[in-house]
Amino acid sequence: MNITRHPNNPIITAGSIRPTEPSLRVFGIFNPGVFNDRNKIGLIVRVAEAPVQPENNKPTTLILQNNKPTITTVENVTDVSDPRLIRTQTGTLLTSMSHFRLFWSTDGVTFSEPDEPIRLFGQGAYETYGIEDARITKIGSTWYMTYTAVSQAGVAVALMSTTDWATFIRHGLILPPHNKDCVLFPEKINGLYYCLHRPTGSDIGGNFIWMSTSPDLLFWGNHQCIAQTRPGLWDSERIGAAFEPVKTKDGWLLFYHGANENHQYSVGTILLDTNNPYNVLNRSKTPVMQPETDYEKEGFFGHVVFPTGMASLNNRHLMYYGSADSVICVAEIEL
Amino acid sequence: MNITRHPNNPIITAGSIRPTEPSLRVFGIFNPGVFNDRNKIGLIVRVAEAPVQPENNKPTTLILQNNKPTITTVENVTDVSDPRLIRTQTGTLLTSMSHFRLFWSTDGVTFSEPDEPIRLFGQGAYETYGIEDARITKIGSTWYMTYTAVSQAGVAVALMSTTDWATFIRHGLILPPHNKDCVLFPEKINGLYYCLHRPTGSDIGGNFIWMSTSPDLLFWGNHQCIAQTRPGLWDSERIGAAFEPVKTKDGWLLFYHGANENHQYSVGTILLDTNNPYNVLNRSKTPVMQPETDYEKEGFFGHVVFPTGMASLNNRHLMYYGSADSVICVAEIEL
């Protein structure tokens, strides 16, 4: 499989993003949801913001209060060794809060926000710590966006839909915690919707890819594990679906991310039966893409290529990926 | 609330249970599912078995192979400090495998297996480490049994049903891992089935009680967290539904277990709105039952009262609970 990184990479950097307001700073940009709309490509970029931290003060973070991101002082801190987390005596918070921003491009490389920016923030009890990592699938004439809803109650999978990228319907949580990396298949199979997701392991089990079906995208069942981590290989610690599976003549081609014990994230593929995707036909022994360039190896959380969407332009397939938790990149794929 | 322990407690002990075959020993008995069938009370008791361990040999455990419990030598062991777990370089196994045994009683206190024992073992890919902790609810003329399915793939919630306690239909996983303590409501509310469950916390979030709905008991959605742990109280670490909520004139009365940071398990109550159970009306500040007696304080895993079912006999409400992971007890409740 030929994967060619674009010479303009990274195409969006955290440094180019303005915070929502002056009291905040952009902590990182991450893993965009991707979609085609006629001749344009849209990205739903996850922007993580943190309060500008006054020196010598108690740590602060952002938490939604009455649906408004609010700078909040964190009490009883016990551990801040992971720059993403603040552990306290009563629970764990995030150092930053993420929201979504819509970017458009006509060439797949140069992206900008529309004149009237579309920005989506967390809402309600299950998104008080923000919303993360959109994955977008068009089914019929509607775009469905799965994403990670984060709150004191846990980390779960939520669903939003739109037909115009201006108004959005929020469908609530479709999978209970602790779960993320949910992608929908682009069509019904034998009368049911399909999704892939990544329940978080705990003692027994691990961070594996599961598949489920639904009659209506809201109620999900028939949960089965289709891929586990592989000790000794590049995907030994964590795996998760990258974006919607691509229908090919040989079956559904799924790109997935895999991390090893050194937290190096690479990309592999799994081939699923066209008519019964629970049936795994093949899985790549070696990664099809690994962190190679400086912008993939350095940064806040280095050695990461984390694809989260693909779109098409002039019959070329463009895969978008977050890298080092601080930039967004694009590569062309010959499938 | 008056809760009166029966003087014959414990009513079933691990020592009274014969292993499935001589090469095995009974490791513990646990947390029974409970149901009424005409004038009898049935218990589905979880029996955990482990291989009789030859001295100086590598640790062994039971794993389902071709649906048959098979003594398996465990390689590359890294940690056996928790007597329930064997940690290895490639994952965590259980020291024992659980299956279910049906016991009947006409007085609610003296239980025995039928002449032709009904024993249920794990089946298929998601129960290779066994099946645990049944909760039973009768809906219409069918008994539904939720239980914990344990395998290398994770710890998830499965569903079985029966109309005669002789033949069983296995419906597969109804909630993905890591989840347990699932109980069904005994009737539909506004056209939907309801359940409570306990996703396992991981970094963000905790071991809280969630509620979901379903059109058909197989596909579940509308996941909401109805109760969290309470720092500083008796239920500060983990909470989970005990058994099906009891319909009262004031609402659905839910018994739940709560553990504190010392792993002491006690029992509390939550009152849920009759027509919209997502609406929590009340929650007990103090436990309604705590470990008190010797048989609740000692044993393999002491300081535990863990109710998992209730049944009625001559207008008396009998609550069954596992204690110390080694005995089953009964107490009468005046609701």
Side-chain angles (χ1 to χ4, degrees), chain B residues 2-60:
Chain B
N2 277 333
I3 298 184
T4 310
R5 289 162 173 84
H6 198 279
N8 288 18
N9 275 348
I11 57 170
I12 309 179
T13 61
S16 69
I17 304 288
R18 282 194 189 172
T20 312
E21 52 174 274
S23 63
L24 304 179
R25 63 192 169 90
V26 173
F27 181 82
I29 63 168
F30 300 77
N31 320 329
V34 181
F35 62 99
N36 273 110
D37 185 9
R38 284 155 292 184
N39 297 322
K40 294 192 294 185
I41 291 176
L43 298 186
I44 292 289
V45 174
R46 171 183 163 198
V47 176
E49 296 180 305
V52 176
Q53 182 67 46
E55 270 183 53
N56 300 321
N57 279 19
K58 284 185 183 170
T60 55

Side-chain angles (χ1 to χ4, degrees), chain A residues 41-57:
Chain A
I41 291 176
L43 298 186
I44 292 289
V45 175
R46 171 183 163 199
V47 176
E49 295 179 304
V52 175
Q53 183 66 48
E55 270 185 53
N56 300 322
N57 279 19

Side-chain angles (χ1 to χ4, degrees), chain A residues 20 24 49 61-72 93-94 96-99 120-131 147-152 170:
Chain A
T20 311
L24 304 179
E49 295 179 304
T61 187
L62 286 175
I63 297 179
L64 273 187
Q65 287 175 4
N66 301 319
N67 287 328
K68 190 177 155 24
T70 306
I71 295 177
T72 308
L93 297 97
L94 301 178
S96 65
M97 173 185 284
S98 293
H99 66 275
L120 296 163
F121 290 86
Q123 275 184 14
Y126 303 106
E127 302 177 356
T128 51
Y129 294 178
I131 55 179
Y147 61 97
T148 307
V150 189
S151 74
Q152 158 69 16
R170 294 179 185 236

Side-chain angles (χ1 to χ4, degrees), chain A residues 154-196:
Chain A
V155 175
V157 175
L159 180 68
M160 221 186 272
S161 66
T162 183
T163 54
D164 57 11
W165 294 102
T167 55
F168 299 84
I169 300 172
R170 294 179 185 236
H171 301 280
L173 299 184
I174 59 169
L175 291 167
H178 191 284
N179 208 323
K180 51 171 57 178
D181 294 330
C182 179
V183 304
L184 301 172
F185 282 62
E187 61 186 69
K188 280 189 177 182
I189 301 160
N190 300 317
L192 291 171
Y193 296 99
Y194 278 67
C195 81
L196 298 157

Side-chain angles (χ1 to χ4, degrees), chain A residues 19-277:
Chain A
T20 311
E21 52 174 274
S23 62
L24 304 179
R25 63 194 169 91
V26 173
F27 182 81
I29 64 168
F30 300 77
N31 320 328
V34 181
F35 62 99
N36 272 110
D37 185 8
R38 284 157 290 184
N39 296 321
K40 293 192 295 185
I41 291 176
L43 298 186
I44 292 289
V45 175
R46 171 183 163 199
V47 176
E49 295 179 304
V52 175
Q53 183 66 48
E55 270 185 53
N56 300 322
N57 279 19
K58 285 184 182 171
T60 54
T61 187
L62 286 175
I63 297 179
L64 273 187
Q65 287 175 4
N66 301 319
N67 287 328
K68 190 177 155 24
T70 306
I71 295 177
T72 308
T73 302
V74 184
E75 305 285 349
N76 301 318
V77 174
T78 57
D79 180 9
V80 291
S81 59
D82 184 330
R84 298 166 300 177
L85 301 178
I86 306 174
R87 294 181 201 278
T88 78
Q89 284 166 16
T90 55
T92 301
L93 297 97
L94 301 178
T95 47
S96 65
M97 173 185 284
S98 293
H99 66 275
F100 295 148
R101 298 189 187 185
L102 173 61
F103 287 75
W104 289 114
S105 174
T106 51
D107 64 5
V109 178
T110 311
F111 282 86
S112 57
E113 286 195 87
D115 292 339
E116 296 214 4
I118 300 293
R119 295 180 179 177
L120 296 163
F121 290 86
Q123 275 184 14
Y126 303 106
E127 302 177 356
T128 51
Y129 294 178
I131 55 179
E132 305 182 353
D133 291 4
R135 265 65 167 235
I136 299 162
T137 299
K138 194 172 190 184
I139 307 177
S141 56
T142 302
W143 288 277
Y144 290 94
M145 180 159 69
T146 58
Y147 61 97
T148 307
V150 189
S151 74
Q152 158 69 16
V155 175
V157 175
L159 180 68
M160 221 186 272
S161 66
T162 183
T163 54
D164 57 11
W165 294 102
T167 55
F168 299 84
I169 300 172
R170 294 179 185 236
H171 301 280
L173 299 184
I174 59 169
L175 291 167
H178 191 284
N179 208 323
K180 51 171 57 178
D181 294 330
C182 179
V183 304
L184 301 172
F185 282 62
E187 61 186 69
K188 280 189 177 182
I189 301 160
N190 300 317
L192 291 171
Y193 296 99
Y194 278 67
C195 81
L196 298 157
H197 53 101
R198 208 298 306 270
T200 298
S202 177
D203 260 344
I204 311 286
N207 298 306
F208 305 149
I209 299 176
W210 286 65
M211 186 180 286
S212 303
T213 60
S214 170
D216 56 8
L217 295 170
L218 300 178
F219 297 95
W220 291 88
N222 196 11
H223 311 287
Q224 296 184 38
C225 183
I226 65 144
Q228 300 194 4
T229 49
R230 297 181 292 190
L233 292 191
W234 58 277
D235 51 2
S236 59
E237 286 294 309
R238 279 178 298 286
I239 55 174
F243 46 85
E244 66 170 72
V246 181
K247 200 171 191 178
T248 72
K249 66 177 174 43
D250 298 319
W252 293 100
L253 179 64
L254 171 68
F255 289 82
Y256 74 99
H257 64 258
N260 64 16
E261 59 279 17
N262 299 320
H263 306 293
Q264 172 171 309
Y265 279 77
S266 303
V267 186
T269 57
I270 294 174
L271 191 66
L272 306 169
D273 188 282
T274 303
N275 297 310
N276 174 19

Side-chain angles (χ1 to χ4, degrees), chain B residues 65-134:
Chain B
Q65 287 175 3
N66 299 319
N67 287 327
K68 192 179 154 19
T70 305
I71 295 175
T72 308
T73 302
V74 184
E75 306 285 350
N76 301 318
V77 174
T78 56
D79 180 10
V80 290
S81 58
D82 184 329
R84 299 165 299 177
L85 301 178
I86 306 174
R87 294 180 201 280
T88 80
Q89 284 166 16
T90 55
T92 302
L93 295 96
L94 301 177
T95 48
S96 64
M97 173 185 284
S98 293
H99 66 276
F100 294 148
R101 297 190 188 185
L102 173 62
F103 287 75
W104 289 113
S105 175
T106 53
D107 65 5
V109 178
T110 311
F111 282 87
S112 58
E113 286 195 87
D115 293 341
E116 297 213 5
I118 300 293
R119 296 179 181 178
L120 296 164
F121 291 86
Q123 275 186 15
Y126 303 106
E127 302 178 357
T128 52
Y129 294 178
I131 54 179
E132 306 182 353
D133 292 2

